[in-house]
């Protein structure tokens, strides 16, 4: 059983920055961050494989950077130039080599205008 521990959410003014971290307790292949705003569907923000291949939602390209420390089984989402529309609950996601998915408990990011 893999556990994901998230940290780094909070309140920030528009244009500010936050960094989210997610540490996994077991062997993981793909890791990602999703977000869900009130009344909206959960959406992929960014994902990264063990090899470091990344993909981003169009809405965050150029502003967010996802990185990974394989030795620590931890991913970091650096969020810059934050906008009010980035306000959401952010969830860490991981998938092991068998394709089994795991979710973190979520961390709130609120961007004030």
């Amino acid at each position: 059983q893999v556990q994901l521990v998230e940290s780094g959410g909070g309140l920030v003014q528009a244009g500010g920055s936050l960094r989210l971290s997610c540490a996994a307790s077991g062997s993981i292949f793909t890791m990602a961050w999703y977000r869900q705003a009130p009344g909206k569907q959960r959406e992929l923000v960014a994902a990264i494989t063990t090899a470091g291949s990344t993909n981003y939602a169009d809405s965050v390209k150029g502003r967010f950077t996802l990185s990974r420390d394989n030795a620590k089984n931890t991913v970091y989402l650096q969020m810059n130039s934050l906008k009010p529309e980035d306000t959401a609950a952010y969830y860490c996601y991981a998938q092991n080599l068998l394709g089994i998915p795991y979710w973190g408990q979520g961390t709130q990011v609120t961007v004030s205008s």
Side-chain angles (χ1 to χ4, degrees):
Q1 182 73 11
V2 173
Q3 291 187 331
L4 303 177
V5 179
E6 303 154 334
S7 61
L11 172 64
V12 65
Q13 289 188 333
S17 299
L18 284 173
R19 190 176 84 152
L20 305 182
S21 299
C22 175
S25 62
S27 296
I28 290 296
F29 180 56
T30 296
M31 297 188 76
W33 284 96
Y34 284 74
R35 67 185 181 187
Q36 187 168 18
K40 294 188 177 181
Q41 288 188 331
R42 190 170 295 190
E43 63 175 0
L44 175 68
V45 176
I48 188 168
T49 66
T50 305
S53 177
T54 56
N55 66 287
Y56 296 91
D58 287 343
S59 59
V60 306
K61 283 181 180 176
R63 300 188 298 122
F64 292 10
T65 302
L66 184 62
S67 60
R68 180 170 181 161
D69 185 336
N70 288 329
K72 297 181 178 179
N73 258 356
T74 300
V75 291
Y76 306 94
L77 183 66
Q78 179 66 42
M79 304 185 294
N80 298 327
S81 302
L82 283 161
K83 305 175 181 180
E85 51 263 44
D86 294 317
T87 295
Y90 283 68
Y91 296 90
C92 182
Y93 168 90
Q95 191 176 67
N96 67 10
L97 289 174
L98 298 178
I100 298 174
Y102 301 92
W103 289 95
Q105 78 281 3
T107 184
Q108 181 66 34
V109 171
T110 302
V111 184
S112 63
S113 57

